[in-house]
Structure formats: structure tokens, C-alpha cells
Amino acid sequence: MKIIKTPETLSRYLKKLKSRGNSIGFIPTMGALHEGHLSLIRAARQENKITVVSIFVNPAQFSPKEDLKKYPRPLNKDLTFCRKEKVDYVFLPRAKDMYPEGFSTYTCVEGLSERLCGRARPGHFRGVATIVLKFFNIIRPDTAYFGQKDAQQAIIIRRMVKDLNVPVKIKVMPTVRGEGGLALSSRNIYMSALEMQDSLVLFKALNLAKVLINGGLRNASRIISRMKELINRKQHAKIDFVAIVDARDLKPLKTISGDYLIALAVRIGKTRLIDNFQGRLLI
Ligand code: AMP
């Protein structure tokens, strides 16, 4: 496994490998790797000759009030993890190489970036789209792997790639969950044992929605009310949003039909958790 810190070096290595016909699978991460990341790494390994993982806590996607400084950075553990999974290249850029002095070009996927999580996190998806596009230009992967856990992010990246004719295939892998259904996240370590218990309510609320939809309910606001009611029973839970939207444009649905996304963000104590369920109703 090679650990590479500068964009130029990584581009040079990968260009050579690509010219010899090797396919490249790429997984962008912010580190603190867990089984969720693992499923993306394994998919990339299976489908490509070369696997590249980036570990970069991207300052451009954090607002001044967010946890940039506090974000976990267990680098040695992450590198051992990657080595064990036979990752070929780990890209560990420094912020000053990704955003050198004078940096002033950003990618903004309009509309999609302002909805759902974009409301509470203005500028977040601009930061995500910008760093992902930069990585795509440095690495030139054949396929990039993202998690369904961050559904809005995956939808935005797909849109960006389509709109800007970026020659990368995007694959979205299912959400990996821990005991009780909590979606694995690097931020879960911020929670106390009691908060962890309350955090299971996100998955329970999604399951409630699924049961209601399977029972024939199509009225989005009624489903949302029932989900909110369930979540509000938890002492440590404070709802940011619960939404049922069209999975293509992330606009709210009144009546559930077609490709829909049920997404929620809930603060458990000080930790903001997100989760979602994406489904399709043909009638
Ligand atoms: P992060 O390090 O949190 O930026 O995540 C890097 C990639 O891993 C993103 O595409 C995430 O959607 C994905 N990911 C994070 N958690 C999970 C999970 N529990 N299941 C599947 N993918 C995940």
C-alpha cells in the first residue's frame, strides 16, 4: 500500500497505471473508518484493478460552528484498516495543498444543495462537490463509491457528474448499520451510552414509515407526523427535519409515488445524525 500526500505525485502514479489499462476505483472519506467505509472499499476492490482511498477532513464542507477541529482523526488505525483491506493507494493530502493561497473556484450544484441538510448546513454541499470534483480530476477514477447513508450527497454528486460531463461512474452502496439499526458513522463516538440508545429512534422512525406505506398510507404529512411523534418521545432527541421528497429533485412530496426518499436529521444531545430510506412506488 502506498501513502501519498501530494496531488501531483498521486496523479503521476495513477496516470501510468491507467495507461497500462488498469481500472481505478475510488472511495473519498474523511477517515475514522468503519464497516460502512469497508463496504465501499470491498466493492471497489472487487470491481477494479486499483483501489484508491482518500482520507481528508475537508475544511470547505464545515461551517465555522461545526466540528472540524473535533472531528476524529485516528490516522494509524485508518492506515492499518486500509492495509488489511489491501487498498493500493491512500491519498492523505494537506489542506494547504488542496486549497492553496488564492484558491477561489467552487462547484455548486444549485437547488439540490439547498434542500434537506443544506438548510441547516449552508455551504456544506458546495464544499463537498468542490472537493469531490478536485479528487476526480487528480485521480481520474473509472468508478467512485459513495454510501446511501449520505443520500443527498450521492444525489448531488450524480447530478454534478452528469451536468459537467465528468467521465466517472458513480456507485451507491447500501447503508451499513450497527446493532439496533443505527447507521454507522464516524460521529457516533460523540454519543454517551444513553444517547446511543435514543439514537436508535432514527431507524425506528424509518421503519414506522415503511410499515405505514406498506399498509397503504400515501399522505406524506401524516407519515411525517407519526415519525416526529415517535422521535419526540426520546429525551435526548431534537428533530432538525423529517422529510419525504422526490428522490430526483429532493422537493417535498404531498402524496408518495415514484422514486421517493424519506430523510431525517436529528440531534441526539450534541451529535447531529442523519438517516434515510429510498423507495419506489409504481402506483
Ligand atoms: P465520510 O467519511 O463520513 O465522509 O464517508 C465517506 C463515504 O462513506 C461516504 O460516501 C459515506 O456515504 C459512506 N458511508 C459513511 N457511513 C456509511 C454507512 N454506515 N454505510 C454505508 N456507507 C457509509
Side-chain angles (χ1 to χ4, degrees):
M1 184 176 88
K2 281 201 158 59
I3 299 164
I4 300 203
K5 295 198 172 162
T6 67
E8 296 75 20
T9 315
L10 185 64
S11 288
R12 194 160 10 94
Y13 273 112
L14 296 178
K15 202 171 166 194
K16 215 181 266 173
L17 286 163
K18 264 204 112 164
S19 71
R20 293 189 201 132
N22 296 295
S23 61
I24 296 174
F26 169 53
I27 306 104
T29 83
M30 298 206 299
L33 302 176
H34 51 65
E35 299 278 320
H37 300 108
L38 186 68
S39 82
L40 311 189
I41 294 174
R42 293 206 169 146
R45 284 249 310 141
Q46 241 172 36
E47 296 168 8
N48 301 274
K49 199 78 208 281
I50 304 290
T51 302
V52 182
V53 171
S54 63
I55 300 179
F56 182 59
V57 184
N58 174 30
Q61 68 190 67
F62 287 76
S63 79
K65 278 187 263 163
E66 291 180 336
D67 55 345
L68 174 64
K69 280 216 175 109
K70 215 176 80 176
Y71 198 85
R73 291 168 172 88
L75 184 57
N76 288 333
K77 215 170 135 207
D78 285 348
L79 293 176
T80 306
F81 189 101
C82 289
R83 222 169 260 125
K84 198 164 147 244
E85 289 305 316
K86 300 199 163 53
V87 169
D88 299 290
Y89 290 87
V90 175
F91 184 37
L92 276 183
R94 295 176 304 182
K96 64 176 182 186
D97 288 327
M98 296 312 283
Y99 300 105
E101 219 185 294
F103 183 93
S104 47
T105 308
Y106 292 87
T107 316
C108 186
V109 180
E110 290 179 5
L112 293 177
S113 297
E114 285 87 56
R115 299 187 187 119
L116 305 177
C117 283
R119 286 197 182 189
R121 307 187 71 188
H124 170 69
F125 290 111
R126 181 180 89 142
V128 170
T130 302
I131 197 69
V132 169
L133 186 58
K134 280 172 69 72
F135 284 149
F136 286 176
N137 285 332
I138 293 164
I139 294 164
R140 308 271 160 153
D142 294 277
T143 310
Y145 297 80
F146 293 85
Q148 176 66 28
K149 201 210 79 171
D150 299 279
Q152 186 174 9
Q153 169 174 282
I155 289 167
I156 286 173
I157 298 300
R158 272 196 203 282
R159 185 79 250 168
M160 174 186 82
V161 160
K162 197 166 180 212
D163 287 354
L164 299 182
N165 306 85
V166 184
V168 179
K169 192 169 159 194
I170 304 299
K171 280 219 169 164
V172 181
M173 306 304 293
T175 302
V176 178
R177 300 176 182 281
E179 235 172 89
L182 174 65
L184 298 186
S185 161
S186 309
R187 289 188 167 100
N188 291 351
I189 57 159
Y190 296 154
M191 288 186 283
S192 69
L194 282 176
E195 287 173 345
M196 281 288 248
Q197 275 188 357
D198 279 4
S199 73
L200 304 182
V201 78
L202 277 85
F203 186 55
K204 286 188 185 137
L206 289 171
N207 280 336
L208 170 64
K210 272 191 248 179
V211 169
L212 295 172
I213 293 168
N214 288 340
L217 191 57
R218 297 287 179 270
N219 182 306
S221 67
R222 278 172 62 188
I223 296 171
I224 291 170
S225 300
R226 293 284 299 278
M227 291 172 76
K228 285 185 170 172
E229 214 177 279
L230 185 72
I231 298 166
N232 284 332
R233 282 189 219 150
K234 297 291 170 195
Q235 191 198 339
H236 300 98
K238 192 166 175 290
I239 295 172
D240 177 357
F241 69 79
V242 178
I244 302 183
V245 297
D246 187 312
R248 292 161 303 180
D249 58 15
L250 303 181
K251 286 187 180 160
L253 286 173
K254 276 193 179 137
T255 306
I256 301 180
S257 70
D259 288 317
Y260 65 92
L261 176 73
I262 308 181
L264 70 170
V266 179
R267 275 183 199 284
I268 301 288
K270 284 189 175 152
T271 311
R272 184 175 182 277
L273 300 179
I274 56 170
D275 206 342
N276 69 85
F277 170 74
Q278 199 164 337
R280 172 177 281 179
L281 266 183
L282 295 175
I283 327 160

